[in-house]
Amino acid sequence: MTELLKKFFFSTRLMAVLFLGFGLAMGIGTFVESKYSTETARIWIYNAWWFEAIMVFFVINFLGNMFRYRLFRWEKWPVLMLHLSWILIIIGAFVTRYISFEGMMPIREGETERVFYSDKTYLTAFIDGEINGEPKRKILEEDLIVTPEGLKSNLPWKSDYNGQPVTISYVDYIKGAKEGLIPDDSGKEYLKIVEAGNGQREEHYLESGKVTNVHNVLFALNKPTDGAINLFTTDSVYQIKSPFEGTFMRMADQFQGKASKDSLQEFQLRSLYNMAGMQFVIPEPIVQGSYGIVEVPDKEITEATQGALVVEISANGESVQKKLLGKKGMISRFTDKFQVGGLDMALRYGPKPLELPFGIKLNDFIAEKYPGTEKGYASFMSKVTVQDDRPYDYDIFMNNILDHRGYRFFQSGFDQDEKGTNLSVNHDQWGTWITYLG
């Protein structure tokens, strides 16, 4: 039996089958990437168990051939080196996948950052309750890959909290989703505000009778609040009272006016207001509905559009469904706490925050444009200070990588207002060197 296994594992026929299967899988993977996405190719091929099995059989076969054909002799050193190189490259790939990690690090000018966000997306669940009269939290977490075409994870999760069974199951994935209003005549009143306080266009919904924090600027709708930009609605009349001086420009006819400080005056819909260091527009009248996650039409989906993971949570005979906004490389937040079967829970889908053992301060971001263009960038660079035991300055730009304590920082992108940078972070020292050696 042992001899038969040796002949099978170390045969040239098996090697030919492995190379054929590997080449076929890579070819199909390329077509899947072009038709669907890289993530779908990972689910179906690159991260599939059978693809890893091909790699393992390669290593076994190469090792067996080294002994079977006595490749340790001097006259056979070129063939030995070829076998060793394949083994090291495959081992390096496994180290990169299972031990190493990478992510994205956004930094604004003048700020120091130690946290970056993982390249992998995670589903995280907080389960809160009491055990023996003391509040306790149980955390469930797993990285997963999900697209409309498939899912790679260990869902459903079957766990418990103090003996109470808890199940979290996959329901669906929405390719394009965002926070928005679901029209409902019996719902609450909301006013949509569009702003660019952090250099990027964002939408928020102000709930009537509530105060909302938008980038550290308070907005109050039908709730007089000191220090907030107060908006009031009565039938079709809109008014504003702000503790800040400001200006506005009506988009329809370019009419410009002044928003006086601490003065109750008419508010102009569909007008660009500039106050409190931010620009904002109220594009639509007040509407009724429930605030939640809505699907984005395919034609409106862009690279910045998030997806939504739909899961079902069951505990003590009760079940609820939750839609979780998230996207690779984009910061996500936990849902508001909700109850299922007497347990308090909160969920999050998206990158996980990771912390560096040192800090990176962005001193200046420099973007050079091609002459005569507004968005044609010739180059861009981040001037940073590495804050460690021995601080030093460094310039990160294309092909000029910051390498510090096993972490590598690449210039990846920047904020639209050119006052912030996005650094790609990679921690793969062992995997890189093993692969390079191969």
Side-chain angles (χ1 to χ4, degrees):
M1 185 66 179
T2 304
E3 193 62 32
L4 287 174
L5 286 173
K6 285 182 179 180
K7 287 183 179 180
F8 172 73
F9 281 121
F10 308 144
S11 67
T12 54
R13 288 182 180 179
L14 176 60
M15 184 67 83
V17 170
L18 291 175
F19 272 112
L20 182 62
F22 179 76
L24 187 61
M26 294 297 288
I28 294 174
T30 302
F31 284 109
V32 171
E33 283 188 69
S34 61
K35 184 174 182 179
Y36 298 106
S37 66
T38 301
E39 299 303 298
T40 302
R42 287 179 178 174
I43 294 171
W44 290 355
I45 299 173
Y46 304 138
N47 287 19
W49 66 267
W50 55 265
F51 191 78
E52 291 187 346
I54 290 176
M55 301 296 103
V56 172
F57 280 124
F58 263 132
V59 172
I60 294 173
N61 206 282
F62 286 130
L63 285 172
N65 285 339
M66 287 163 58
F67 290 96
R68 182 182 182 187
Y69 297 105
R70 294 183 294 171
L71 300 182
F72 297 99
R73 292 176 295 171
W74 175 251
E75 61 269 20
K76 299 232 178 144
W77 72 266
V79 183
L80 175 64
M81 294 296 287
L82 181 64
H83 281 65
L84 287 174
S85 67
W86 273 92
I87 292 171
L88 288 171
I89 290 170
I90 293 172
I91 292 174
F94 272 89
V95 171
T96 296
R97 178 173 173 186
Y98 288 104
I99 299 177
S100 306
F101 52 88
E102 57 185 335
M104 192 64 66
M105 188 176 193
I107 320 176
R108 297 288 289 176
E109 282 185 353
E111 295 183 358
T112 300
E113 191 59 78
R114 302 178 70 95
V115 174
F116 67 100
Y117 299 90
S118 65
D119 181 66
K120 294 180 179 179
T121 53
Y122 290 79
L123 174 60
T124 306
F126 287 170
I127 307 175
D128 296 329
E130 287 191 358
I131 299 178
N132 299 325
E134 293 186 8
K136 297 288 184 181
R137 166 171 288 177
K138 184 169 186 175
I139 301 175
L140 304 176
E141 187 173 72
E142 180 206 354
D143 65 286
L144 49 80
I145 306 175
V146 59
T147 68
E149 294 76 36
L151 168 74
K152 182 171 178 58
S153 76
N154 290 321
L155 291 172
W157 294 345
K158 294 186 177 180
S159 185
D160 72 279
Y161 184 91
N162 196 27
Q164 304 176 64
V166 178
T167 302
I168 300 178
S169 307
Y170 170 77
V171 176
D172 194 12
Y173 179 77
I174 303 172
K175 183 179 179 180
K178 65 177 182 179
E179 291 182 324
L181 273 183
I182 303 169
D184 183 359
D185 292 338
S186 61
K188 299 178 181 178
E189 290 186 325
Y190 289 90
L191 199 59
K192 184 167 79 170
I193 178 173
V194 181
E195 56 81 28
N198 66 345
Q200 297 180 350
R201 182 184 185 278
E202 292 184 7
E203 295 181 356
H204 307 268
Y205 285 86
L206 310 179
E207 182 180 341
S208 184
K210 296 287 184 70
V211 180
T212 305
N213 187 327
V214 180
H215 301 305
N216 296 320
V217 178
L218 298 180
F219 286 82
L221 179 60
N222 296 325
K223 183 178 182 180
T225 304
D226 291 337
I229 298 176
N230 287 279
L231 299 172
F232 303 96
T233 63
T234 305
D235 296 328
S236 59
V237 178
Y238 293 81
Q239 294 177 306
I240 182 172
K241 185 178 181 181
S242 169
F244 311 102
E245 293 284 349
T247 60
F248 69 88
M249 181 183 71
R250 198 160 55 204
M251 296 180 180
D253 56 7
Q254 304 299 301
F255 172 76
Q256 297 186 24
K258 182 179 179 181
S260 301
K261 177 181 178 181
D262 296 326
S263 173
L264 183 65
Q265 59 190 93
E266 183 182 358
F267 182 80
Q268 304 285 331
L269 291 179
R270 292 176 286 276
S271 297
L272 180 64
Y273 276 78
N274 195 333
M275 62 174 58
M278 71 187 306
Q279 294 181 324
F280 63 90
V281 177
I282 306 292
E284 303 166 358
I286 197 166
V287 294
Q288 280 187 296
S290 57
Y291 190 56
I293 295 174
V294 297
E295 190 168 355
V296 175
D298 287 343
K299 62 181 181 180
E300 296 179 13
I301 294 178
T302 66
E303 290 186 3
T305 305
Q306 298 185 77
L309 177 68
V310 186
V311 295
E312 183 175 87
I313 307 95
S314 302
N316 295 327
E318 184 181 348
S319 297
V320 298
Q321 283 193 8
K322 287 291 179 179
K323 295 178 181 178
L324 310 175
L325 270 183
K327 176 180 168 54
K328 182 177 179 179
M330 186 175 289
I331 304 167
S332 56
R333 64 177 185 271
F334 277 93
T335 62
D336 294 332
K337 276 193 175 182
F338 59 93
Q339 278 204 340
V340 183
L343 297 175
D344 291 327
M345 298 189 67
L347 301 174
R348 179 180 68 190
Y349 163 65
K352 181 170 68 172
L354 303 170
E355 188 167 352
L356 296 171
F358 53 89
I360 300 289
K361 180 181 179 182
L362 178 61
N363 301 313
D364 191 18
F365 179 79
I366 301 172
E368 294 184 0
K369 300 175 183 176
Y370 290 109
T373 64
E374 286 294 327
K375 294 295 182 181
Y377 291 95
S379 64
F380 41 93
M381 174 175 65
S382 298
K383 301 178 76 67
V384 303
T385 298
V386 179
Q387 297 186 337
D388 208 346
D389 296 335
R390 295 182 178 180
Y392 62 92
D393 296 333
Y394 198 86
D395 295 340
I396 305 174
F397 53 89
M398 186 69 69
N399 297 326
N400 199 60
I401 301 164
L402 169 61
D403 201 331
H404 185 74
R405 292 177 62 175
Y407 292 85
R408 308 186 82 200
F409 298 84
F410 305 80
Q411 182 65 62
S412 176
F414 55 91
D415 296 343
Q416 290 182 357
D417 61 359
E418 300 178 11
K419 293 183 180 180
T421 188
N422 292 310
L423 301 178
S424 177
V425 186
N426 180 278
H427 190 271
D428 185 26
Q429 194 171 22
W430 282 105
T432 299
W433 283 111
I434 293 172
T435 304
Y436 282 172
L437 181 61

